[in-house]
Amino acid sequence: MSGRPRGALLTVEGVEGAGKTTQAARLVEALRSSGREAVLTREPGGTELGRDIRRMLLALDGEAPAPEAELLLYLADRAQHVRRLVGPAIERGAIVVADRFSDSTIAYQAHGRGLPLDAVRAIDDFARGGIAPFLTFVLDLEPEAGLVRARATGPADRLESEEIAFHRRVREGFRAIAAASPGRVVVLDASRPVDDLAREIAATALDRLEHA
Ligand code: Z5A
C-alpha cells in the first residue's frame, strides 16, 4: 500500500441485545491487531452533543417524543457524529466501527414506527452528508431472546419497553435492508457463540478491506 491508507465505515446492526456492542468491540480489536487505525463509536451518543441527545431519547420519564420528533433527534445525533467524528476519522485513513447507523433509522423509525420510508431516507441522506457504510453486519436474533439478554444487563429504556410487535417489525426491517443490499450487508445468526461470530466478522471485514 502506498500513501495514506483508505478509511472506511463499518457498521454493526440488529435488534436489542443481539450482541452489537460486544461484536463491534471485538472487530476493533481485530482491526488494530492487523495494524490498522480503528475507531469504535456508536449511535446515538458518539459525540458530546450526541450523549445529551441519547439521554433525551432513551429516558423513560418525561414527555415521550412524537415519532417525527424522535426521528429528527436520531438524525441530529447522526449529523453531529458524521461531521465531528466519523468523517474526519475516515479522512485520515481510519476504519470506523459504528454500533448502529442509518440502517437502525430505517428499521426502527420507518419499519418499527411506520414513518414513510421515502421521507426517512431523504432526511437520513441529508444528515449523513455522503458518508455511508462500506460493510454492515446485521446480527439477526428473535426479538424475545434479544430483550432477555438486554434486560439482564440493566433496566429497560424507552425503546426496549415497546410492545413485542414493534421489535418484530424492526427485525423484519433489518432483513428487508439486507435483502435489498446483499453486497454491503452480511446477515449472521446472533444466537451463535460470541467467539465464533467474532472470528467470522473479523475475517470478512479484513478480506473485504484488503480487496476494496
Ligand atoms: N435507535 C433508533 O431507534 N434509531 C436510530 O437511528 C438509532 C438507534 C441509531 C439504543 O441503541 C436505541 O436506539 C435502540 C434503537 C434506537 N433501541 N433500544 N433500546 P443501543 O444500541 O444503545 O441499544 P441496544 O440495542 O438496546 O443495545 P444493547 O442492549 O447494548 O444490545 P447489543 O449491543 O446488541 O448487545 P450487547 O451489549 O453486546 O450484549 C447484550 C448481552 O448479551 C450481554 O450480556 C452480552 O454478554 C450478551 N451476548 C452478546 N452476544 C451474545 C451471544 N452471541 N450469545 C449469548 N450472549 C451474548
Side-chain angles (χ1 to χ4, degrees):
M1 202 183 326
S2 64
R4 201 163 49 174
R6 196 183 298 175
L9 170 64
L10 312 187
T11 59
V12 186
E13 299 275 10
V15 296
E16 277 76 7
K20 299 172 300 297
T21 307
T22 305
Q23 294 301 335
R26 293 288 294 266
L27 176 55
V28 162
E29 273 173 35
L31 290 164
R32 288 179 183 157
S33 300
S34 79
R36 292 174 187 266
E37 182 192 350
V39 175
L40 178 61
T41 187
R42 71 167 175 178
E43 287 195 0
T47 62
E48 197 182 330
L49 177 65
R51 285 184 277 284
D52 288 340
I53 296 173
R54 182 182 177 91
R55 274 191 289 277
M56 290 165 68
L57 279 163
L58 298 181
L60 270 174
D61 53 348
E63 184 181 334
E68 293 80 359
E70 182 186 55
L71 168 70
L72 293 170
L73 285 168
Y74 279 113
L75 294 179
D77 169 73
R78 180 156 310 133
Q80 182 78 356
H81 191 211
V82 157
R83 285 161 186 82
R84 296 286 184 268
L85 190 149
V86 179
I90 291 175
E91 187 58 33
R92 68 171 187 267
I95 307 300
V96 178
V97 177
D99 180 349
R100 296 195 184 278
F101 195 68
S102 292
D103 294 325
S104 281
T105 316
I106 304 296
Y108 282 84
Q109 276 65 56
H111 292 264
R113 294 280 189 230
L115 292 176
L117 188 55
D118 287 353
V120 174
R121 281 209 184 107
I123 312 171
D124 176 55
D125 282 353
F126 176 69
R128 287 190 292 111
I131 298 283
F134 164 75
L135 176 62
T136 296
F137 296 96
V138 167
L139 299 176
D140 182 53
L141 190 65
E142 292 281 347
E144 290 87 343
L147 288 169
V148 168
R149 284 186 191 172
R151 281 181 192 155
T153 64
D157 60 31
R158 195 192 298 277
L159 281 185
E160 283 169 7
S161 306
E162 284 291 331
E163 55 182 19
I164 195 69
F166 172 83
H167 296 284
R168 291 204 183 104
R169 291 195 296 277
V170 170
R171 183 194 193 189
E172 290 313 314
F174 282 120
R175 290 178 167 205
I177 291 165
S181 303
R184 170 179 68 88
V185 182
V186 176
V187 181
L188 297 162
D189 174 358
S191 66
R192 290 164 54 193
V194 170
D195 288 347
D196 188 19
L197 285 164
R199 263 192 302 275
E200 181 168 344
I201 289 172
T204 305
L206 289 168
D207 181 65
R208 295 276 187 105
L209 288 167
E210 185 68 24
H211 296 101

